[in-house]
């Protein structure tokens, strides 16, 4: 569903990830020129190790996020308040799992078998986006994931339809098309709650308050274009802040329109500069969440995945057979 | 034979080719299928390695699955107006400064 | 349409007629199966299997919805608010003892062998029942049964594939499937218990044959399949264990009353008049 940035993770070794021109061999320099000129890269093309590694990390995290992203919403399929919502939510979560299937295939094309990525994820070694580390307390959280988180996903994924790695780009085109259905699903739930009883509106407002900081976090820290390795290597075309601003422009007025406020008294649009200002979230909180000990929700979800894997993985070989060879996507 | 019309496109079936082996097929494909600049990339699979679904009617749907499609969600103009009215009834009518309309980049705006 | 006014002020259709009871049997089996299938979403042992179970889950809820619609209207796929309200009241607004599904359907997913075994057995029963219902004297029921029988083909294709694969794999795979099937086929006999009003709907031709005959046809359909896989003994099972009996009369296990029913209805029941 998602993809933001590698952001701070690579901060320590950023110098190595953005080599100066005179540090590159000719082949790498030509590759960079190709990518910076809008050229695309296929799985079987030669690529620098750094490009392969950064892309794999980015895409694997994206695929993991689709799978882990299914879990917070999955808990509400059976709880959904009407038969219509049950089947819609089931279909939407199914699409997320399906996106995981597509995106893992792209990651595989960079050299890491899906079985290995799956094993890493279940064991708690796989990274995934911050927004999927949180619990879902009420149906209001389902509205927020459907409208705000998926909205953020659309912003970042649409940008990825211009990534340099062609197999990823092609899959993103398909994923973005399905995400716009998810966006409608999310807005539909949001509007129903916002038009509902006082209790429903309160439930929605409380959930928006909970999701505000996670969504600001989702886009990553404000890394300058020239300092972002993902941009240098042509993995993503836009900075984290550009994506965050675009999301704010699209989604904040929609919330205001239906009488939902946002829990930041510094939040404002400056018509002169055309920039949103907002209170800087605590970035340490994000680092702790994504890289530290798993949150309670994540620990529980991983525990379940581990239990289920232990009792059911015997069937994997029948379903999947021998892992297919890694080939072009 | 499969060809990719533009770099952003997936491989799509373009036709068949008779050839003794893979390398011959790849050599002959260029002027058999792609002589009018139809593709930026192509690939070949032996036809006996292509397995069709036995009964393609399994793809037909006899029950509405609109809920899986955009068509399943409609009437947003009315729904937004209703939510706006509900907000006004709650006194949530502050019009804060916001970007001009038209900057909406979401795919869905009707 | 006869309606009674519920405590919430919502019009809930009367459900006591034999026809309504038949539709509840059909809808509730689907609804409860669908909910239990949905528990695999996001956690199935392989992504491709996850996607298959998610469709089985959606079909369950969707088909239940259609059966419930026939209780309140002859016009299917209606988006009318009053139909949606009534369908949700039927699907989510009843007390546990008013649900008519077989107890097998409410069992938790347990492991993938149990879930696949239940899928294999129940979906074949449903297919036989749908083929019977295509001859219903009620045109709306016959029409819907024809549509759903078509949809059921995918369920059978998927079920039969795993049945053959696991039974044919031998070793641990076969043993796990056999163990699960032994439990499931016994509890599945609860699917063939008569419901209140069955005699009347059979007499009226709404349900062309009774559940005893549906069982016979199911055995007939499954015999070549199970025989071919060396599983013929399963079809000799004809008694339902006490703990899996009575679903058709509204007697349910704690798997439903304390687990699935609260989960699937709590938010709806928190404000049955609310629009979500």
């Amino acid at each position: 569903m998602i993809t933001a940035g590698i952001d701070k993770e690579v901060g320590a070794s950023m110098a190595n990830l953005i080599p100066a021109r005179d540090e590159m061999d000719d082949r790498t320099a030509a590759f960079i020129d190709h990518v910076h000129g809008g050229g695309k890269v296929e799985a079987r093309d030669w690529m620098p190790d750094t490009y392969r590694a950064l892309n794999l990390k980015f895409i694997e995290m994206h695929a993991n996020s689709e799978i882990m992203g299914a879990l917070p919403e999955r808990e509400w399929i059976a709880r959904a308040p009407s038969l219509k919502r049950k089947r819609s939510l089931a279909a939407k979560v199914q699409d997320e799992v399906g996106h995981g299937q597509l995106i893992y295939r792209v990651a595989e094309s960079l050299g890491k078998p899906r079985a290995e990525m799956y094993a890493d994820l279940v064991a708690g070694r796989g990274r995934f986006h911050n927004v999927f580390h949180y619990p879902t307390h009420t149906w209001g959280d389902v509205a927020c994931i459907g409208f705000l988180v998926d909205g953020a996903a659309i912003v970042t994924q649409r940008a990825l339809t211009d990534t340099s790695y062609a197999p990823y780009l092609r899959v993103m085109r398909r994923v973005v098309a399905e995400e716009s259905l998810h966006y409608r699903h999310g807005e539909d739930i949001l509007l129903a709650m916002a038009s509902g009883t006082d209790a429903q509106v309160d439930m929605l407002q409380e959930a928006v308050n909970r999701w505000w900081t996670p969504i600001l976090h989702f886009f990553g820290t404000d890394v300058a274009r020239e300092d972002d390795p993902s941009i240098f290597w042509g993995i993503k075309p836009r900075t984290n802040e550009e994506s965050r601003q675009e999301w704010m422009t699209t989604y904040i007025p929609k919330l205001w329109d239906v009488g939902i406020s946002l829990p930041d008294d510094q939040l404002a649009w400056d018509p002169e500069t055309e920039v949103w200002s907002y209170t800087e979230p605590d970035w340490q909180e994000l680092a702790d969440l994504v890289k530290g000990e798993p949150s309670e929700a994540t620990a529980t979800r991983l525990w379940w995945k581990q239990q289920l894997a232990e009792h059911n993985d015997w069937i994997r070989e029948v379903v999947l057979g021998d892992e297919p060879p890694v080939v072009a996507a | 034979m499969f060809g990719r019309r533009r770099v952003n496109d997936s491989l799509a079936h373009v036709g068949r080719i008779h050839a003794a082996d893979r390398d011959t097929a790849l050599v002959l494909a260029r002027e058999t299928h792609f002589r009018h600049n139809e593709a930026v990339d192509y690939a070949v699979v032996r036809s006996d390695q292509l397995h069709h679904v036995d009964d393609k009617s399994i793809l037909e749907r006899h029950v509405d699955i609109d809920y899986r499609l955009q068509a399943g969600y409609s009437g947003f103009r009315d729904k937004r107006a209703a939510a706006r009215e509900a907000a006004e009834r709650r006194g949530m009518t502050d019009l804060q400064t916001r970007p001009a309309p038209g900057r909406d980049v979401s795919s869905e705006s009707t | 349409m006869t309606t009674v006014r519920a405590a919430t002020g919502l019009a809930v259709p009367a459900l006591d007629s034999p026809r309504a009871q038949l539709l509840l049997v059909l809808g509730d089996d689907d609804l409860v199966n669908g909910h239990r299938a949905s528990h695999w979403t996001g956690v199935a042992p392989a992504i491709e299997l996850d996607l298959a179970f998610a469709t089985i889950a959606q079909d369950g809820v969707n088909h239940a919805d259609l059966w419930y619609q026939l209780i309140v209207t002859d016009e299917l796929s209606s988006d009318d608010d009053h139909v949606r309200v009534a369908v949700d009241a039927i699907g989510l607004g009843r007390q546990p003892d008013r649900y008519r599904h077989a107890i097998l359907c409410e069992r938790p997913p347990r492991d993938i062998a149990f879930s696949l075994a239940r899928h294999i057995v129940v979906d074949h029963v449903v297919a036989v029942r749908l083929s019977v219902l295509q001859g219903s004297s009620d045109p709306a029921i016959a029409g819907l049964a024809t549509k759903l029988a078509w949809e059921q083909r995918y369920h059978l294709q998927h079920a039969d594939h795993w049945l053959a694969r696991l039974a044919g794999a031998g070793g641990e795979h076969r043993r796990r499937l056999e163990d699960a099937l032994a439990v499931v086929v016994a509890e599945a006999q609860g699917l063939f218990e008569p419901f209140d009003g069955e005699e009347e709907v059979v007499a009226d031709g709404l349900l062309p044959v009774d559940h005893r005959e549906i069982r016979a046809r199911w055995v007939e359909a499954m015999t070549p399949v199970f025989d071919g896989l060396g599983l013929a003994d399963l079809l000799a099972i004809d008694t339902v264990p006490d703990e899996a009996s009575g679903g058709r009369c509204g007697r349910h296990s704690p798997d439903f009353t304390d687990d699935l029913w609260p989960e699937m209805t709590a938010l709806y029941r928190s404000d049955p008049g609310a629009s979500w």
Side-chain angles (χ1 to χ4, degrees), chain A residues 95-132:
Chain A
D95 281 352
E96 308 293 5
V97 174
H99 296 169
Q101 197 268 355
L102 294 171
I103 297 164
Y104 273 130
R105 193 71 202 90
V106 178
E108 274 193 317
S109 72
L110 290 161
K112 186 172 178 181
R114 188 173 103 182
E116 208 177 310
M117 294 186 271
Y118 172 85
D120 281 349
L121 182 64
V122 171
R125 294 187 296 267
R127 292 274 169 78
F128 54 95
H129 281 290
N130 72 306
V131 284
F132 304 122

Side-chain angles (χ1 to χ4, degrees), chain A residues 23-77:
Chain A
E23 293 168 350
M24 295 179 204
D25 56 48
D26 290 350
R27 211 176 184 191
T28 303
F31 180 90
I32 284 291
D33 289 344
H34 172 69
V35 163
H36 286 185
K40 303 301 175 196
V41 181
E42 297 289 351
R44 60 195 182 282
D45 293 346
W46 177 84
M47 62 186 85
D49 290 345
T50 310
Y51 179 84
R52 182 182 295 277
L54 282 177
N55 239 325
L56 173 59
K57 191 171 188 175
F58 192 92
I59 297 169
E60 181 178 356
M61 181 166 173
H62 187 173
N64 287 344
S65 297
E66 299 286 355
I67 299 299
M68 293 306 287
L71 302 184
E73 290 184 290
R74 162 198 177 275
E75 295 163 18
W76 285 88
I77 296 171

Side-chain angles (χ1 to χ4, degrees), chain B residues 55 57 60 62-63 67-68, chain C residues 55 58 147 150-151 153:
Chain B
D55 175 6
S57 74
E60 290 173 26
H62 289 198
V63 163
Y67 70 93
R68 284 179 167 177
Chain C
T55 285
Q58 289 161 51
K147 283 187 180 186
W150 180 274
E151 297 291 313
R153 296 165 67 229

Side-chain angles (χ1 to χ4, degrees), chain A residues 193-211:
Chain A
M193 291 185 83
S195 313
T197 64
D198 289 349
Q200 287 176 298
V201 173
D202 290 347
M203 190 187 275
L204 177 61
Q205 179 66 61
E206 285 162 17
V208 169
N209 294 349
R210 279 195 288 278
W211 285 94

Side-chain angles (χ1 to χ4, degrees), chain A residues 133-212:
Chain A
H133 287 277
Y134 291 94
T136 41
H137 300 281
T138 69
W139 187 247
D141 294 299
V142 178
C144 286
I145 293 175
F147 187 65
L148 302 179
V149 175
D150 279 16
I154 290 172
V155 168
T156 54
Q157 291 181 152
R158 185 164 303 164
L160 286 170
T161 59
D162 200 27
T163 181
S164 63
Y165 190 50
Y168 194 28
L169 174 160
R170 292 190 282 264
V171 159
M172 279 303 99
R173 279 159 45 117
R174 179 165 160 195
V175 166
V176 163
E178 287 180 13
E179 286 287 347
S180 52
L181 160 71
H182 299 180
Y183 168 86
R184 286 180 173 221
H185 159 91
E187 186 176 14
D188 205 68
I189 295 175
L190 175 105
L191 292 174
M193 291 185 83
S195 313
T197 64
D198 289 349
Q200 287 176 298
V201 173
D202 290 347
M203 190 187 275
L204 177 61
Q205 179 66 61
E206 285 162 17
V208 169
N209 294 349
R210 279 195 288 278
W211 285 94
W212 175 245

Side-chain angles (χ1 to χ4, degrees), chain C residues 44-75:
Chain C
I47 296 177
E48 288 78 1
L49 204 51
D50 208 300
L51 298 171
F53 267 100
T55 285
I56 291 165
Q58 289 161 51
D59 284 353
V61 174
N62 210 14
H63 298 177
D65 192 314
L66 292 164
W67 290 122
Y68 298 150
Q69 285 183 40
L70 290 190
I71 299 178
V72 294
T73 173
D74 287 338
E75 217 35 52

